Amino acid sequence: NAGVTQTPKFQVLKTGQSMTLQCAQDMNHEYMSWYRQDPGMGLRLIHYSVGAGITDQGEVPNGYNVSRSTTEDFPLRLLSAAPSQTSVYFCASSYGGAPGTQYFGPGTRLLVL
Amino acid sequence: KQEVTQIPAALSVPEGENLVLNCSFTDSAIYNLQWFRQDPGKGLTSLLLIQSSQREQTSGRLNASLDKSSGRSTLYIAASQPGDSATYLCAVPYGGATNKLIFGTGTLLAVQP
């Protein structure tokens, strides 16, 4: 198994541009989530999904959209990039029930100029 | 609102020393608690997950304990090695979904050879 994969690894955007961060998992996990990690702020939940077709907002959802059309994929869309969205983005997945161990991808580093 | 705190923020120890990392949470109604390791520029790797009904979990030189009544968890690392150098994060689920995690800001551990 490849586990949780994320693309791209690094991206530079200009303010106002849009882009999609890709996340895929091959473990047949029901649950998937997106986090951002910022210095001094730790990891914060952006959006999450408990199954195909079901998504909900986390702690910091503004400026981001998600969809979950398949079990395997959970893309994160930046609608109009802002410098405040400069961060490292992590995707995670897990089975729906106990124990709930979360498996993380390697991350995408995003720089918005 | 659940808050997770990790003290100390940074720790430097000589190789071979036993050490304890601390994690505190304000709401004791947790489903589980997970400890992660993060190497520089990398994603998170799950180390141990303790269910709310458990008191501790062990994996090799690592032992994690959970005291819900006091809102505390500790990660004990025995016979530390330079390869243990990393940031250690604890996280608890909130809001009824096990993939909605609140993270502490981590403890940066340096093990000196």
Side-chain angles (χ1 to χ4, degrees):
Chain A
N1 287 350
V4 181
T5 58
Q6 293 183 238
T7 57
K9 291 184 179 180
F10 181 70
Q11 183 71 46
V12 179
L13 290 179
K14 295 181 180 179
T15 296
Q17 287 184 317
S18 62
M19 78 161 293
T20 299
L21 280 63
Q22 301 292 343
C23 174
Q25 52 90 10
D26 61 358
M27 297 174 282
N28 201 30
H29 285 169
E30 297 173 272
Y31 288 8
M32 297 185 75
S33 310
W34 276 103
Y35 295 86
R36 59 178 290 173
Q37 185 175 34
D38 302 290
M41 301 291 292
L43 283 102
R44 293 177 292 168
L45 181 66
I46 305 172
H47 285 285
Y48 69 102
S49 169
V50 296
I54 305 170
T55 64
D56 206 346
Q57 297 181 349
E59 187 182 358
V60 289
N62 292 341
Y64 307 95
N65 272 357
V66 292
S67 61
R68 184 94 181 273
S69 57
T70 67
T71 299
E72 295 78 19
D73 300 298
F74 191 42
L76 178 71
R77 299 181 186 84
L78 279 69
L79 308 174
S80 177
S84 61
Q85 293 178 305
T86 293
S87 188
V88 182
Y89 293 85
F90 290 102
C91 179
S93 72
S94 65
Y95 287 111
T101 302
Q102 299 291 314
Y103 297 86
F104 279 77
T108 293
R109 292 183 175 274
L110 178 65
L111 174 62
V112 183
L113 302 175
Chain B
K1 179 186 173 185
Q2 177 74 273
E3 294 183 2
V4 181
T5 304
Q6 291 186 247
I7 295 174
L11 182 63
S12 181
V13 300
E15 182 177 3
E17 192 163 299
N18 302 325
L19 59 100
V20 174
L21 307 180
N22 297 296
C23 173
S24 300
F25 46 94
T26 55
D27 185 348
S28 62
I30 60 171
Y31 183 74
N32 60 43
L33 185 145
Q34 198 163 352
W35 282 93
F36 295 89
R37 169 184 173 139
Q38 186 176 29
D39 294 291
K42 304 292 185 181
L44 281 69
T45 300
S46 178
L47 297 173
L48 290 165
L49 183 147
I50 311 176
Q51 298 288 3
S52 61
S53 58
Q54 297 174 318
R55 294 299 299 269
E56 64 178 57
Q57 280 282 353
T58 298
S59 176
R61 294 183 293 108
L62 305 180
N63 176 276
S65 68
L66 176 63
D67 184 345
K68 285 179 55 179
S69 62
S70 67
R72 293 187 61 187
S73 176
T74 61
L75 180 67
Y76 175 83
I77 302 177
S80 58
Q81 303 171 357
D84 295 330
S85 298
T87 297
Y88 291 80
L89 298 148
C90 65
V92 296
Y94 74 100
T98 57
N99 62 334
K100 293 175 63 178
L101 298 182
I102 288 185
F103 282 84
T105 50
T107 295
L108 176 61
L109 174 65
V111 181
Q112 307 299 331

